[in-house]
Amino acid sequence: MRTVLIAGAGIAGPTLAFWLKAAGFEPTLVERAPGLRSGGYVIDFWGLGYDIAERMGLIAEINRVGYHVQELRIVDDAGRRRAGFGTRVFSELTDGRFVTLPRSELSRLLFERVKGRAETVFGDEIVALAEEGDGVRVQLKHAGERRFDCVIGADGLHSAVRRLAFGPQPQFETYLGYVVAACEVAGFRPRDEDVYVMYGQPGRMIGRFTLRDDRTLLLFVLVADRAAVPTTLDRQKAMLQAAYGAGKWDCPKILSELERTDELYFDSVSQIRMPGWSRGRVALVGDAAFCVSLLAGQGSALAMISAYVLAGELAAAESDHARAFARYEARLRGYISAKQRGAERFAGAFAPKTRAGLAFRNLVIRTFAVPGLAKLAIGREIADALPLPDYHWPLLARPAA
């Protein structure tokens, strides 16, 4: 068992390809988009994902492109600070191994570690899977039919591999009641360097974060009925205009910028909960298997963890894919379930549905300034209790000095 097709070149896919290559496999990445995706949103990166990135030789680059945020600040209608905390607490909880960076930048850095070493097919997608006794026959939309020993879905919340191998998404998706949108704009003023600035109304949060090169990330989180989630850019913009049109603070300027953008990340806030992450010779990693939700803050790290463990178990099991998939899930199932429960509790903190809820959220955040209370409140969610397994990587490529 040597050939593995991986659907998705985001976070989990390139990570899996890297470690499979290190174990002596021949991975192939197929990505529906014509190239690596840009824009989107920023992520907070720490824990075991940080450890895996370090083993891949990426930490220096991650810190170069990343940001070391100094404060999360919640403001009122007039822009006055009402709550917030310095992010030193996260640094203390993670021993300084904490960085904020654009998700697309992390994806790019991961992909560069396998570029030229693993076959990559952009602008194509899997449209059919047929498992045979000793492999999987795959139909690609443009490249035709190919055959692989295993197929791995690393294609996110709306995974096509999951749909083809396990069934329609609704049977696995738990909608958490929110939608999130994000875009980057140029020249926005004011700029608050290394500060998340957030403004909330009942059921709605809007925020901005200053990026390099005179760019600003705009983020929207709002309560929404699932049936009301639009799928076209004009309707998505209309939904945001309606939700934030009466808002104060920077809302008018932000909505004006929104109208000019042609690239808007927009999606539901959901979790994926499956009874099993593999079927036959097909398995899932990252959001495709167990999306904890975008608001959880650890999706990219969990994608890297699952990719690393899956590659390691495939290597350890030699040609026994069934044993590898079973051990992969046994190692991670409890850990992931705990992360999902924590994410479900945390989601409401972004956009409390009532003014009383907003006031309570702000009160809790103020307590983070008291030594020890932040660790008590969120330390369990930040800490990674899972020991990272050590596997044998005979062909591990060390980065150039």
Side-chain angles (χ1 to χ4, degrees):
M1 186 181 65
R2 290 291 125 192
T3 60
V4 181
L5 178 63
I6 305 166
I11 303 296
T15 306
L16 180 60
F18 175 89
W19 291 109
L20 284 177
K21 193 72 179 177
F25 289 81
E26 291 300 326
T28 295
L29 280 165
V30 59
E31 167 58 52
R32 182 176 59 183
L36 294 179
R37 300 175 191 270
S38 59
Y41 50 93
V42 296
I43 60 170
D44 295 323
F45 191 62
W46 76 92
L48 293 180
Y50 194 104
D51 295 344
I52 292 169
E54 186 171 52
R55 296 185 186 193
M56 297 174 71
L58 290 174
I59 292 305
E61 279 295 290
I62 284 174
N63 280 300
R64 184 184 66 79
V65 303
Y67 301 85
H68 294 277
V69 182
Q70 300 301 307
E71 181 190 3
L72 183 145
R73 182 187 305 160
I74 297 175
V75 299
D76 63 13
D77 289 353
R80 295 182 295 256
R81 189 181 189 276
R82 289 305 182 194
F85 58 89
T87 55
R88 186 179 66 181
V89 62
F90 292 110
S91 183
E92 292 172 352
L93 289 171
T94 61
D95 295 323
R97 297 164 68 81
F98 181 96
V99 64
T100 297
L101 76 161
R103 183 185 182 278
S104 57
E105 283 292 283
L106 178 60
S107 174
R108 178 184 63 80
L109 292 174
L110 290 167
F111 181 76
E112 286 180 355
R113 295 293 280 121
V114 296
K115 186 177 180 181
R117 301 180 62 242
E119 179 189 8
T120 305
V121 182
F122 282 108
D124 212 338
E125 59 185 305
I126 301 170
V127 294
L129 295 169
E131 184 165 345
E132 300 172 336
D134 58 351
V136 184
R137 193 169 71 253
V138 177
Q139 184 70 35
L140 296 173
K141 187 173 184 179
H142 302 296
E145 187 174 289
R146 294 184 60 177
R147 197 172 185 283
F148 296 88
D149 293 324
C150 283
V151 174
I152 311 297
D155 46 347
L157 172 62
H158 305 291
S159 170
V161 172
R162 185 181 60 235
R163 174 176 50 79
L164 291 169
F166 298 84
Q169 180 165 319
Q171 64 182 305
F172 306 117
E173 183 179 7
T174 298
Y175 178 56
L176 298 186
Y178 299 86
V179 297
V180 64
C183 63
E184 290 183 15
V185 299
F188 188 91
R189 295 295 183 272
R191 288 174 64 83
D192 295 276
E193 302 290 341
D194 294 328
V195 178
Y196 283 114
V197 187
M198 297 168 52
Y199 167 72
Q201 297 175 295
R204 299 181 294 283
M205 186 281 287
I206 191 168
R208 55 175 168 80
F209 179 69
T210 297
L211 303 173
R212 297 185 184 92
D213 302 321
D214 202 23
R215 295 174 299 135
T216 298
L217 173 73
L218 306 177
L219 179 69
F220 310 78
V221 180
L222 66 152
V223 175
D225 183 270
R226 181 58 185 269
V229 177
T231 56
T232 62
L233 180 62
D234 58 337
R235 291 183 179 180
Q236 290 166 354
K237 288 182 177 182
M239 182 178 186
L240 296 175
Q241 291 283 355
Y244 298 96
K248 308 294 185 182
W249 180 56
D250 287 347
C251 287
K253 287 189 289 186
I254 289 174
L255 293 178
S256 177
E257 293 289 346
L258 174 68
E259 280 307 300
R260 288 193 283 272
T261 188
D262 293 323
E263 293 187 16
L264 179 68
Y265 173 89
F266 194 104
D267 207 349
S268 59
V269 178
S270 298
Q271 292 186 340
I272 295 296
R273 300 174 183 172
M274 303 184 68
W277 300 338
S278 65
R279 177 170 290 175
R281 291 177 174 269
V282 179
L284 304 172
V285 291
D287 283 354
F290 52 72
C291 180
V292 294
S293 90
L294 184 143
L295 298 183
Q298 237 183 323
S300 294
L302 295 177
M304 293 179 66
I305 294 164
S306 64
Y308 172 85
V309 171
L310 177 56
E313 294 300 337
L314 282 168
E318 297 178 347
S319 61
D320 190 346
H321 67 277
R323 180 160 66 96
F325 291 164
R327 287 179 59 83
Y328 152 67
E329 186 165 345
R331 282 192 184 275
L332 295 181
R333 171 67 73 170
Y335 170 75
I336 294 298
S337 295
K339 292 292 183 181
Q340 287 188 322
R341 291 191 296 270
E344 200 170 9
R345 293 191 299 269
F346 187 64
F350 277 86
K353 298 178 182 179
T354 64
R355 292 202 175 276
L358 281 168
F360 180 73
R361 189 272 312 274
N362 292 350
L363 179 63
V364 170
I365 286 177
R366 289 189 195 104
T367 67
F368 284 13
V370 180
L373 285 185
K375 183 175 183 179
L376 195 64
I378 61 173
R380 185 178 63 177
E381 311 297 348
I382 294 293
D384 273 329
L386 179 78
L388 194 63
D390 282 318
Y391 298 105
H392 179 54
W393 310 107
L395 302 180
L396 181 60
R398 300 293 180 184

